[in-house]
Amino acid sequence: MKRRVIPLSDIRKEDIPFTGGKAWALSELIRGGVPVPGGLTVTTRVYEDFLELSGLGDLIFMELTRRELSGMRWEEIWDLSLRIRNLFVRTPLPEKIYLELKPVLEENFRGISTVVRSSSPSEDSSLSSFAGLHESFVNVKGTERIIEKIRLVWASLWSDGALLYRRELGLDTRKSSMAVVVQEIVSGERSGVLFTKDPGGRDRSVLEAVWGLNQGLVDGTVEPDRWFLSRKDGHILSHNPPLSRDVMVVPLEKGTGTCSVPSEKTFSPPLEEHDIARVRKMAMKTEELFGFPQDVEWTWRGQFLCLVQSRPITTISATDGPAWLQDDRRAWYLSLKRSFDDLGRLRERIEKELIPSMDEESGLFNRIDPAGLNDRELAEELDRRKASFEKWKRTYWEEFIPFAHGARLFGQYYNDNVSPEDPYEFVELLKNTDMESMRRNRKIEHLATLVRADTLRREKLLRGERVDMEFESALAELLMEESLGIEWSDREEERGRITRIVLEMAELPPKDDPGSTRRSMELKERFLKSLGNAEERGFAEELLDLARASWKLRDDDNLHLGRLERELSRAMEEGRKRLSGKFSVDTTRLEFDNLTLCLSDSSYRPEFREEEPPVEREAPPGLETRARQVTGHPANAGLATGKARVIRHTPDLFSFRKGEILVCDAIDPNMTFIVPLAAGVVERRGGMLIHGAIIAREYGLPCVTGVADVTRLIPDGATVT
């Protein structure tokens, strides 16, 4: 195939490696007489030339080979995709490609609003469907903006969801390519999707419809009317209306936005019975054309009904196709990404309902002293606390983790508009959000300030003596209100270890960084100036506020959940202590089920499995040479040299000294009280949104995350830069 930009109507099946399956499917529909908006395809040849001429291909390869994709967590993969996307944003089209695209786009779309969509050769086949994983842009007008969006569609080949899905399917990411479809937009008054066969496997069709554009349905902003239809004759089996029809997505001057549905339409579904029959007839024709059940996206303007795109439904093939289709996890990947409106609703629920309820439960448990309960009551209390902890852990995964997308959404929006050299620059605007762990650290800093102000206090503390009432009261409040990761049986030992941390902190100058605040203000001003009008700036302010709440919760949620875990641990420790005289074995080895059985049934005798001795792993040959340099992902810029303090267990924290490099598997929220003492942070766990990276940013410490096997590779006490 010699042509590099092809009208949709001219594409043939043999062109799929260059145009992608989506573009070919649209071409087949046009030839089959199905109404489809006109357009063209920018082939993979153009994308590949862009990578080669700009040098971007080598930079992407370098990013992909920092660490094996198979060993990355989803947060690390998001970081990877963010860096790659920023490369696309900052890399202009080489002149050769620009001069090739500009006249074609102007000839076909001058003065016309368009939709710019992905069409990867690996997507939308009968064996894999990348629906929702690559980007589409609606209501794009003007040659320069179309070219800008083509670049972002190319970048979405490397989105976190697409990378995760390719890993699931075993596709080679380095051989991936991207074509782009540009079509004239049909500004539908009502839109939707029809699955010609229920993806759940039942023998029926599923139709969803909303007022306005389809984008509201696809991104979850608008809840649809849903009908189940007989596959045989289209008979309506049931209709499930939404809770409300008050919002729809419409075209704006640039892009799209939400508005209120006119009052006369809120009480009526977007489709009547004869409309449903027309949509079904068109959708079933696509199934006949392709010989496979289809996921059809359609829109309706006036009397004109057209099909926007059609893709095969892969999830229904679980019983017929390859084994991996039975575990299509795309839905989980997509659930982590929420629209701005959906995130706003989620924020309100989290802040007004979930967090207060969680704290109320932990407070109720805190007011019950396990030592005052008899054995049966203690067993029942353990069951209540375990059930509560498990319930809130599910909430953490189902609602708190997706809310983290607020910070991700802002990061992408910031980078797309500002094109910063540092793809993580946006985080400077999210700092200083009064996180729970920072409030706790300020209490420790207050104690350090009291020590700095009075050498007599310092001398007494060094001797292990009590000091004045002001210090002792502040210390008692800290120990009573805040969890530092250990349930202490000896309060004097607890006091001694915490005062040692306070003494270390007192030797450092007070934490005060007005320069960071100034930089944050300067970045925000530059960011807002990059936006075109007051409406965009208003949205940006709202998005920033949402992102700051997301950033704060990503740190706080661990502490809220940790309070419930602490109350469960407190009751378990009481049970183990109570049973220690009853059995001749070490009751600290009693796990939850055995513990509750022992307490509720006096005749029960637990069985302990013999503990296997730990397996010593032999160091690979030449480890000393290879371990001189280890690599990970950047989480905060800076340079520091110091002695490594490797934290393997919680008690190791209390041996930490100022100026050391914190090396650990992952920084737990209960560990952050030592971070102000550190000169830098290195973690095995990776990602910009993990607790350690967030706290390192707050304190301005250099931080590297995602360093595989770091607590074994770096010896305790080694000098680390």
Side-chain angles (χ1 to χ4, degrees), residues 172-335:
D172 188 343
T173 55
R174 284 167 291 191
K175 293 180 181 177
S176 299
S177 192
M178 178 68 81
V180 181
V181 171
V182 185
Q183 286 176 283
E184 181 178 348
I185 191 173
V186 176
S187 299
E189 296 154 353
R190 43 199 178 139
S191 308
V193 297
L194 191 148
F195 296 90
T196 61
K197 186 173 182 181
D198 186 345
R202 296 182 62 178
D203 192 27
R204 61 186 182 184
S205 300
V206 184
L207 171 63
E208 295 180 336
V210 296
W211 292 109
L213 298 179
N214 232 345
Q215 188 176 340
L217 170 60
V218 173
D219 67 17
T221 303
V222 183
E223 187 182 358
D225 279 82
R226 182 178 294 111
W227 293 267
F228 293 102
L229 312 176
S230 165
R231 260 180 66 80
K232 182 179 179 181
D233 57 14
H235 175 71
I236 297 174
L237 303 174
S238 64
H239 172 217
N240 301 327
L243 292 175
S244 67
R245 301 187 186 94
D246 54 350
V247 177
M248 64 180 182
V249 174
V250 296
L252 300 176
E253 183 181 347
K254 288 172 64 177
T256 61
T258 57
C259 74
S260 298
V261 174
S263 57
E264 68 272 13
K265 294 181 177 180
T266 57
F267 299 105
S268 304
L271 300 179
E272 297 181 11
E273 193 168 336
H274 63 277
D275 299 325
I276 292 171
R278 277 191 65 185
V279 173
R280 178 185 176 274
K281 182 179 179 181
M282 182 179 69
M284 296 308 291
K285 185 172 183 178
T286 69
E287 183 174 317
E288 290 173 17
L289 282 170
F290 296 111
F292 198 89
Q294 296 290 299
D295 165 5
V296 173
E297 188 175 329
W298 53 268
T299 194
W300 207 315
R301 182 168 185 84
Q303 294 302 309
F304 177 59
L305 169 65
C306 73
L307 188 149
V308 178
Q309 60 179 329
S310 183
R311 62 175 69 89
I313 306 170
T314 58
T315 51
I316 63 170
S317 303
T319 58
D320 306 321
W324 53 259
L325 281 179
Q326 300 177 36
D327 187 28
D328 183 350
R329 298 187 64 203
R330 186 173 68 249
W332 182 81
Y333 302 148
L334 292 177
S335 76

Side-chain angles (χ1 to χ4, degrees), residues 516-582:
S516 176
T517 304
R518 282 197 303 272
R519 173 165 167 74
S520 179
M521 292 174 64
E522 289 167 0
L523 289 176
K524 181 178 178 180
E525 185 178 353
R526 186 184 70 170
F527 167 53
L528 294 176
K529 281 183 178 178
S530 72
L531 303 173
N533 54 50
E535 184 180 2
E536 288 182 340
R537 288 191 289 274
F539 170 76
E541 293 269 18
E542 291 180 27
L543 181 56
L544 174 57
D545 181 63
L546 179 80
R548 287 172 64 82
S550 170
W551 179 256
K552 181 178 186 299
L553 181 77
R554 191 67 184 97
D555 191 77
D556 288 355
D557 54 14
N558 293 277
L559 290 175
H560 291 291
L561 191 62
R563 289 179 187 130
L564 284 163
E565 189 173 22
R566 180 176 61 180
E567 294 304 325
L568 174 60
S569 298
R570 193 161 67 98
M572 289 182 68
E573 286 305 309
E574 171 60 28
R576 289 171 178 147
K577 178 182 174 183
R578 190 174 297 187
L579 295 169
S580 61
K582 187 175 179 180

Side-chain angles (χ1 to χ4, degrees), residues 207-488:
L207 171 63
E208 295 180 336
V210 296
W211 292 109
L213 298 179
N214 232 345
Q215 188 176 340
L217 170 60
V218 173
D219 67 17
T221 303
V222 183
E223 187 182 358
D225 279 82
R226 182 178 294 111
W227 293 267
F228 293 102
L229 312 176
S230 165
R231 260 180 66 80
K232 182 179 179 181
D233 57 14
H235 175 71
I236 297 174
L237 303 174
S238 64
H239 172 217
N240 301 327
L243 292 175
S244 67
R245 301 187 186 94
D246 54 350
V247 177
M248 64 180 182
V249 174
V250 296
L252 300 176
E253 183 181 347
K254 288 172 64 177
T256 61
T258 57
C259 74
S260 298
V261 174
S263 57
E264 68 272 13
K265 294 181 177 180
T266 57
F267 299 105
S268 304
L271 300 179
E272 297 181 11
E273 193 168 336
H274 63 277
D275 299 325
I276 292 171
R278 277 191 65 185
V279 173
R280 178 185 176 274
K281 182 179 179 181
M282 182 179 69
M284 296 308 291
K285 185 172 183 178
T286 69
E287 183 174 317
E288 290 173 17
L289 282 170
F290 296 111
F292 198 89
Q294 296 290 299
D295 165 5
V296 173
E297 188 175 329
W298 53 268
T299 194
W300 207 315
R301 182 168 185 84
Q303 294 302 309
F304 177 59
L305 169 65
C306 73
L307 188 149
V308 178
Q309 60 179 329
S310 183
R311 62 175 69 89
I313 306 170
T314 58
T315 51
I316 63 170
S317 303
T319 58
D320 306 321
W324 53 259
L325 281 179
Q326 300 177 36
D327 187 28
D328 183 350
R329 298 187 64 203
R330 186 173 68 249
W332 182 81
Y333 302 148
L334 292 177
S335 76
L336 296 176
K337 293 192 173 185
R338 306 293 183 93
S339 68
F340 173 76
D341 292 320
D342 189 39
L343 285 167
R345 290 189 291 270
L346 187 57
R347 175 186 182 179
E348 185 170 5
R349 173 168 158 76
I350 288 171
E351 292 181 346
K352 293 185 178 179
E353 297 177 32
L354 298 179
I355 294 295
S357 296
M358 183 188 290
D359 288 346
E360 183 181 5
E361 282 191 36
S362 61
L364 288 172
F365 292 139
N366 183 256
R367 289 193 286 275
I368 298 172
D369 183 3
L373 305 174
N374 63 38
D375 287 359
R376 186 170 294 278
E377 289 170 339
L378 180 56
E380 291 172 354
E381 182 66 15
L382 277 166
D383 282 333
R384 280 193 293 271
R385 295 185 184 203
K386 179 71 177 298
S388 173
F389 177 66
E390 293 298 332
K391 175 188 72 175
W392 287 109
K393 192 160 68 170
R394 286 193 300 272
T395 300
Y396 171 86
W397 283 101
E398 293 168 3
E399 306 202 49
F400 293 175
I401 290 290
F403 187 59
H405 186 55
R408 302 165 68 196
L409 191 65
F410 175 75
Q412 182 171 303
Y413 186 81
Y414 180 92
N415 288 354
D416 287 357
N417 284 281
V418 177
S419 304
E421 184 175 351
D422 175 8
Y424 304 131
E425 181 180 276
F426 70 93
V427 175
E428 290 296 317
L429 300 182
L430 306 183
K431 290 164 55 176
N432 305 313
T433 52
D434 198 28
M435 295 182 294
E436 295 269 344
S437 58
M438 298 296 286
R439 286 207 295 267
R440 180 183 59 190
N441 283 10
R442 284 198 294 273
K443 292 178 182 178
I444 301 175
E445 174 62 30
H446 172 64
L447 291 169
T449 301
L450 294 177
V451 173
R452 290 189 197 102
D454 190 335
T455 55
L456 183 60
R457 282 188 184 123
R458 182 177 182 279
E459 291 169 3
K460 284 188 173 182
L461 288 172
L462 286 170
R463 294 194 296 267
E465 298 175 4
R466 292 287 191 273
V467 292
D468 57 274
M469 183 63 71
E470 183 181 7
F471 182 91
E472 293 296 337
S473 296
L475 179 59
E477 179 185 342
L478 170 72
L479 297 179
M480 181 173 62
E481 294 182 359
E482 304 292 347
S483 169
L484 299 175
I486 293 180
E487 289 298 319
W488 301 91

Side-chain angles (χ1 to χ4, degrees), residues 30-83:
I30 291 169
R31 281 190 291 276
V34 177
V36 173
L40 51 80
T41 302
V42 179
T43 67
T44 59
R45 300 286 197 197
V46 181
Y47 168 78
E48 288 158 3
D49 276 2
F50 173 63
L51 295 191
E52 183 178 350
L53 293 172
S54 66
L56 206 53
D58 292 337
L59 296 176
I60 292 171
F61 179 77
M62 183 181 73
E63 288 288 354
L64 290 172
T65 52
R66 282 178 189 260
R67 186 177 175 186
E68 282 294 325
L69 196 65
S70 59
M72 290 189 193
R73 299 168 60 254
W74 68 267
E75 289 173 306
E76 295 175 84
I77 292 177
W78 178 71
D79 289 353
L80 169 63
S81 74
L82 179 74
R83 292 195 297 271

Side-chain angles (χ1 to χ4, degrees), residues 643-676:
K643 184 193 295 184
R645 178 68 66 180
V646 181
I647 305 297
R648 294 186 176 88
H649 309 287
T650 304
D652 298 342
L653 296 168
F654 297 93
S655 59
F656 200 89
R657 296 293 178 263
K658 68 180 188 301
E660 293 181 333
I661 306 294
L662 174 57
V663 179
C664 60
D665 184 74
I667 292 185
D668 179 89
N670 292 318
M671 295 169 61
T672 54
F673 64 93
I674 65 167
V675 173

